[in-house]
């Protein structure tokens, strides 16, 4: 799947930020909380239900990625200015749809932070960007480390940037409102449009709302089920 995504994304005006090269391990010793002592970290698969147990210095926490068996963990440093490093337990998922389960260790307990799907980039400044996949475009999610709770909190967006220019085969209507009430224009067949934004909050996949810029510069909303038959999208699951 990853190779297919790269081929599809060659059509798009953004760089595919699929994850960094990670060296997953089942055990490692590293100082997780800046106390000057090496912490003994291990992760073990438990059974065919994909359960695992993460152990740090004899303390343990159980988890389940729910997709495929884990293949180890990496150590990440979400905020290089605090005293902690974090553990990210990983599974590649059924279609290379990676899942990372994040934990931190305070010297006594292991605490779950969040679960990230697809391809994260750990910036080291308290921010994690995660590139997703929606069949023909890749939304970018932002997570911010909350200093008080040390939870990795999802930062909601108004909409997601798409930025895909594509020629349509047949025309379809665009509307002033996301509720698709007042028609702005009927797009001309064989014209080039730009799919600018997507609002997917609360919508099923085929009802996702897309903000379209016409070849004449008009803006309006459409839903995916109206758009899809009118263009040839380079899609992948």
């Amino acid at each position: 799947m990853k190779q297919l995504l790269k081929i599809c994304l060659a059509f798009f005006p953004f760089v595919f930020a699929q994850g960094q090269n990670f060296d997953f391990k089942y055990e490692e010793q590293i100082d997780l909380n800046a106390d000057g002592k090496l912490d003994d970290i291990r992760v073990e698969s438990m059974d065919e239900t994909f359960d695992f147990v993460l152990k740090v210095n004899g303390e343990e926490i159980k988890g389940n990625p729910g997709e495929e068996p884990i293949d180890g963990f990496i150590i990440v440093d979400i905020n290089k200015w605090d005293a902690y490093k974090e553990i990210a337990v990983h599974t590649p998922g059924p279609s290379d749809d990676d899942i990372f389960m994040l934990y931190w260790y305070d010297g006594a307990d292991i605490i779950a932070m969040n679960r990230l799907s697809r391809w994260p980039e750990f910036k080291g400044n308290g921010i994690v960007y995660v590139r997703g996949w929606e069949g023909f475009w890749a939304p970018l999610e932002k997570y911010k480390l909350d200093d008080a709770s040390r939870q990795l909190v999802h930062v909601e967006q108004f909409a997601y940037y798409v930025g895909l220019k594509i020629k349509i085969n047949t025309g379809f209507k665009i509307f002033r409102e996301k509720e698709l009430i007042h028609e702005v224009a009927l797009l001309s067949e064989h014209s080039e449009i730009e799919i600018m934004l997507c609002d997917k909050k609360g919508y099923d996949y085929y009802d996702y709302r897309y903000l379209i810029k016409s070849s004449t510069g008009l803006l309006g909303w459409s839903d995916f089920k109206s758009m899809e038959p009118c263009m040839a999208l380079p899609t992948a699951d």
Side-chain angles (χ1 to χ4, degrees), residues 16-136:
F16 182 43
Q18 181 173 338
Q20 300 144 299
N21 292 321
F22 296 128
D23 181 19
F24 299 108
K25 300 179 180 179
Y26 285 93
E27 58 183 78
E28 188 172 0
Q29 287 189 328
I30 193 170
D31 187 355
L32 292 172
N33 58 347
D35 64 357
K37 300 176 183 178
L38 292 180
D39 298 299
D40 185 28
I41 309 152
R42 300 173 185 270
V43 65
E44 300 171 0
S45 295
M46 295 182 65
D47 52 41
E48 66 278 0
T49 64
F50 310 139
D51 288 345
F52 67 87
V53 59
L54 173 64
K55 300 179 180 180
V56 181
N57 298 338
E59 298 298 322
E60 63 180 56
I61 189 170
K62 293 180 180 179
N64 187 315
E67 297 287 340
E68 291 286 323
I70 61 166
D71 60 359
F73 66 87
I74 54 170
I75 302 299
V76 298
D77 196 352
I78 296 176
N79 185 353
K80 63 183 179 182
W81 291 287
D82 68 18
Y84 300 100
K85 292 181 174 63
E86 293 77 28
I87 306 163
V89 180
H90 175 262
T91 175
S95 300
D96 292 328
D97 296 336
D98 301 55
I99 294 173
F100 292 81
M101 300 181 67
L102 276 293
Y103 301 89
W104 70 286
Y105 177 68
D106 65 358
D109 297 307
I110 309 168
I111 300 97
M113 300 176 70
N114 209 329
R115 171 192 178 104
L116 305 180
S117 297
R118 300 290 171 91
W119 307 292
E121 182 180 2
F122 299 95
K123 304 297 290 184
N125 60 355
I127 302 297
V128 180
Y129 291 117
V130 181
R131 183 67 73 181
W133 184 242
E134 290 292 351
F136 67 97

Side-chain angles (χ1 to χ4, degrees), residues 41 143 151 172 212 215:
I41 309 152
Y143 292 80
Q151 294 296 297
F172 59 92
I212 307 296
S215 59

Side-chain angles (χ1 to χ4, degrees), residues 120-172:
E121 182 180 2
F122 299 95
K123 304 297 290 184
N125 60 355
I127 302 297
V128 180
Y129 291 117
V130 181
R131 183 67 73 181
W133 184 242
E134 290 292 351
F136 67 97
W137 64 284
L140 183 67
E141 304 281 4
K142 177 181 177 181
Y143 292 80
K144 186 177 187 302
L145 180 63
D146 180 79
D147 292 332
S149 66
R150 290 202 50 81
Q151 294 296 297
L152 201 56
V153 179
H154 182 227
V155 178
E156 296 284 351
Q157 301 179 61
F158 157 71
Y160 295 88
Y161 176 68
V162 180
L164 170 62
K165 293 182 179 180
I166 191 169
K167 286 189 175 181
I168 60 175
N169 300 317
T170 56
F172 59 92

Side-chain angles (χ1 to χ4, degrees), residues 204-220:
D204 294 331
Y205 183 75
Y206 281 94
D207 289 323
Y208 282 4
R209 297 308 200 253
Y210 288 91
L211 183 64
I212 307 296
K213 180 182 176 182
S214 74
S215 59
T216 58
L218 296 174
L219 290 176

